[in-house]
Amino acid sequence: MKWVIKITRDINKLRDEIDKTDKKIIELILNRMNLVHEVGLTKAKNNSRVYVPEREVAIYKKLSAFSGISPKEIQSFYTEIISFCRKLEDILNVGIQMDSLCLLGIKKIFGEYVNPIIVEDFNELELSSTKYILAPLSKSTLDFILKNNWSIINSVKIENETLYLFSYYENVLIKNGDIQFILYNKIISKNYIEFDNNIFINLIPYDELNSFENLNIKILGFVPSI
């Protein structure tokens, strides 16, 4: 039975190391929270965005390069760390219509700390306190964002349906590979979404945008690539 005792001792030693590592992780998260709090104070003075999707994607890519873990795998668990820290700045209101996919979608984008505002029509939202909506691309959401001059800033896929995050704030750090959403009356891209009355939203990589600069297009926003 000596070998059983030895294996048990080895497991206990490893568990002790895991406990020590967990404490270090919590210490680092607490340190991150303090830093985020300081950033939040600066943002409050400048009235800057609390949620910056292009910054979060950059974090996932940097951590991926450091660890060898794919950006999407990093995103799957690091979103909650960012969400936990972000709540020190604000817990964001996000408008959705009654849809279980949208409830899953806002958790996937924002993590646990988000406040869904459920409405039948997005025009019912109090826009002074709700700066984001999550919904499929449709004629009604298109009309809403055009009316209020909002932008597409992110997307999430839930059960083979793509949901889009629209916001009062627009993304500002655009990089090659990010996808621009172009409103135009013709198909100018292989990837597009068609609406009634010959209205199309073309999905165009940012580095190809110059090819269409002579057209009378409207840029609806972009989604940072991960």
Side-chain angles (χ1 to χ4, degrees), residues 139-192:
K139 186 62 168 59
S140 61
T141 54
L142 179 61
D143 289 342
F144 176 87
I145 65 170
L146 291 175
K147 172 185 173 183
N148 294 286
N149 199 29
W150 279 30
S151 299
I152 299 172
I153 64 168
N154 210 344
S155 66
V156 62
K157 197 166 188 177
I158 304 290
E159 295 183 9
N160 296 319
E161 180 168 3
T162 301
L163 305 173
Y164 295 90
L165 186 67
F166 306 88
S167 180
Y168 166 85
Y169 305 101
E170 62 179 1
N171 290 335
V172 292
L173 301 175
I174 308 174
K175 298 180 180 179
N176 289 347
D178 295 336
I179 303 299
Q180 291 272 3
F181 286 72
I182 306 299
L183 184 65
Y184 192 54
N185 59 4
K186 295 180 181 178
I187 299 172
I188 54 176
S189 169
K190 292 180 181 179
N191 297 319
Y192 66 91

Side-chain angles (χ1 to χ4, degrees), residues 53-109:
E54 66 269 38
R55 162 66 178 159
E56 293 190 6
V57 167
I59 290 173
Y60 304 145
K61 288 181 176 179
K62 286 179 181 179
L63 293 176
S64 174
F66 169 75
S67 65
I69 303 171
S70 74
K72 288 189 176 181
E73 288 176 315
I74 293 285
Q75 181 185 32
S76 68
F77 64 87
Y78 214 78
T79 295
E80 288 299 338
I81 294 176
I82 293 176
S83 178
F84 185 68
C85 294
R86 189 195 298 121
K87 73 172 184 174
L88 295 175
E89 298 180 70
D90 197 7
I91 295 180
L92 301 176
N93 295 330
V94 181
I96 60 172
Q97 294 171 326
M98 181 55 76
D99 187 326
S100 59
L101 294 185
C102 288
L103 284 169
L104 292 172
I106 60 171
K107 296 291 184 180
K108 191 169 182 179
I109 291 177

